[in-house]
Amino acid sequence: SQKIEQNSEALNIQEGKTATLTCNYTNYSPAYLQWYRQDPGRGPVFLLLIRENEKEKRKERLKVTFDTTLKQSLFHITASQPADSATYLCASSPNSGNTPLVFGKGTRLSVIA
Amino acid sequence: NAGVTQTPKFQVLKTGQSMTLQCAQDMNHEYMSWYRQDPGMGLRLIHYSVGAGITDQGEVPNGYNVSRSTTEDFPLRLLSAAPSQTSVYFCASRTSGSSYEQYFGPGTRLTVT
């Protein structure tokens, strides 16, 4: 079956370092991947989308890569700050039609001052 | 724009009771969906709708009903609440086309005793 997985449940890093989160997919080839941020007690908030023909996408201190050979997307936060502490979710859909998004279980990032 | 709104924010039910979780959006989005989020399980799709009058099942539809009589509203009905339905429920909406970002509501925390 089609799966999207975030292997790390939790990640702790020091303030100022680059956080790297991983999202892997199996048994399908997504046309795109999305990344969301979720703070405790709140709904997820969209951050970035990367399409299969894009190797890299940037937004301020955020960078997302998409490697179709490795079947993987990496999400980077550079110069991390305690305010970046949250759960980050990746999501995708088997095709670009009007189909539901499937989410990974998320990685809880803690940035330690 | 209020975005996606959900009521109530918290609810406690006894086993066997029924209730409706309300969801509304004011962005004229065709696509709406309901997820539940449980610790260690991530976001799981319950039901979704691609437009008024059209609904379909997601990954975990049992015990839930939906209807979509207007573009704005997408209520989720629990027919006979069970402790296994204790969860946080999120409603989301987006423009038609699965590559578009989803907007999530603030969630409803439901406890079934």
Side-chain angles (χ1 to χ4, degrees), chain A residues 15-105:
Chain A
E15 181 177 9
K17 301 289 187 187
T18 296
T20 298
L21 284 62
T22 304
C23 179
N24 296 293
Y25 55 90
T26 53
N27 298 329
Y28 76 112
S29 297
Y32 61 89
L33 283 161
Q34 299 186 14
W35 285 88
Y36 289 76
R37 169 181 173 142
Q38 186 175 22
D39 291 290
R42 307 185 84 119
V45 174
F46 173 81
L47 295 174
L48 280 168
L49 177 148
I50 185 166
R51 300 183 188 279
E52 62 178 340
N53 61 351
E54 297 173 319
K55 292 284 186 238
E56 182 179 296
K57 204 80 167 279
R58 289 177 186 260
K59 180 182 174 183
E60 297 170 354
R61 294 184 295 109
L62 308 180
K63 184 177 85 171
V64 174
T65 62
F66 195 168
D67 189 325
T68 54
T69 301
L70 293 178
K71 293 184 178 291
Q72 182 178 84
S73 174
L74 298 180
F75 177 82
H76 306 271
I77 306 175
T78 58
S80 59
Q81 305 165 0
D84 295 325
S85 298
T87 296
Y88 293 86
L89 306 165
C90 69
S92 187
S93 178
N95 57 56
S96 57
N98 213 5
T99 50
L101 274 182
V102 176
F103 284 81
K105 293 181 181 179

Side-chain angles (χ1 to χ4, degrees), chain A residues 32 36 38 49 97-100, chain B residues 31 37 94 96-99 102:
Chain A
Y32 61 89
Y36 289 76
Q38 186 175 22
L49 177 148
N98 213 5
T99 50
Chain B
Y31 189 100
Q37 189 172 41
R94 68 160 197 250
S96 186
S98 56
S99 64
Q102 283 200 152

